[in-house]
Amino acid sequence: MRHNGAAAARQRCGGGWEALLLVSVADAADMAFLGALFGALERDFVIGPTELGWLSFVQAVAIKFTTAFWGPVVDARSEPDGLIQMTLFGIGLFSAATGMAQTYGQLLACRFFAGAASALVRPLSG
């Protein structure tokens, strides 16, 4: 029997919207703050606008490609609470790691994995 994890997420806690709202806010804040940090990143890593654009691009690519992976994972789970917690943890971990990156390569990797973690928001919100 196939479970619908997105529907289960909505049914929990009066529809599940509180947990999904929290995850969506964390995802949106992560994406919004990156643009605000472009000036500091440009100065600290001595990079130009093209490299800054790659940070957003790598995150967007991660979101697009890993959403296809997360969809079946969400559908296979009858209790998505663990996935919601994993999403929050992943977004927080890789956003914090972005602040500790020492090289541009590390910065790109952190943004990729932050995008992969935030991609879980889309299937959970169903």
Side-chain angles (χ1 to χ4, degrees), residues 71-89:
V73 172
V74 169
D75 285 342
R77 302 274 309 245
S78 61
E79 296 294 327
D81 291 344
L83 295 175
I84 292 171
Q85 294 166 354
M86 187 175 77
T87 302
L88 283 172
F89 178 77

Side-chain angles (χ1 to χ4, degrees), residues 2-5 66-77 83 120 123:
R2 190 176 163 144
H3 301 286
N4 187 344
T66 57
T67 298
F69 167 77
W70 288 126
V73 172
V74 169
D75 285 342
R77 302 274 309 245
L83 295 175
L120 190 49

Side-chain angles (χ1 to χ4, degrees), residues 22-32 59 63 91 114-115 118-119 121-122:
L22 179 63
V23 170
S24 297
V25 168
D27 179 37
D30 176 64
M31 296 287 279
Q59 187 169 6
I63 290 170
I91 292 170
S118 68
V121 173
R122 282 98 186 138

Side-chain angles (χ1 to χ4, degrees), residues 5-7 17-18 20 32 57 60 63-65 69 71 76 79 94 96 120:
W17 65 271
E18 296 96 344
L20 291 175
F57 178 73
I63 290 170
K64 297 302 178 203
F65 286 110
F69 167 77
E79 296 294 327
F94 293 111
L120 190 49

Side-chain angles (χ1 to χ4, degrees), residues 34-118:
L34 180 62
L37 294 174
F38 275 177
L41 292 172
E42 190 173 25
R43 186 178 56 253
D44 292 348
F45 287 92
V46 191
I47 55 177
T50 302
E51 290 84 5
L52 292 172
W54 273 99
L55 292 174
S56 294
F57 178 73
V58 163
Q59 187 169 6
V61 166
I63 290 170
K64 297 302 178 203
F65 286 110
T66 57
T67 298
F69 167 77
W70 288 126
V73 172
V74 169
D75 285 342
R77 302 274 309 245
S78 61
E79 296 294 327
D81 291 344
L83 295 175
I84 292 171
Q85 294 166 354
M86 187 175 77
T87 302
L88 283 172
F89 178 77
I91 292 170
L93 175 71
F94 293 111
S95 293
T98 297
M100 294 183 276
Q102 299 294 313
T103 66
Y104 181 69
Q106 291 173 349
L107 196 59
L108 280 174
C110 290
R111 297 319 303 161
F112 178 85
F113 289 114
S118 68

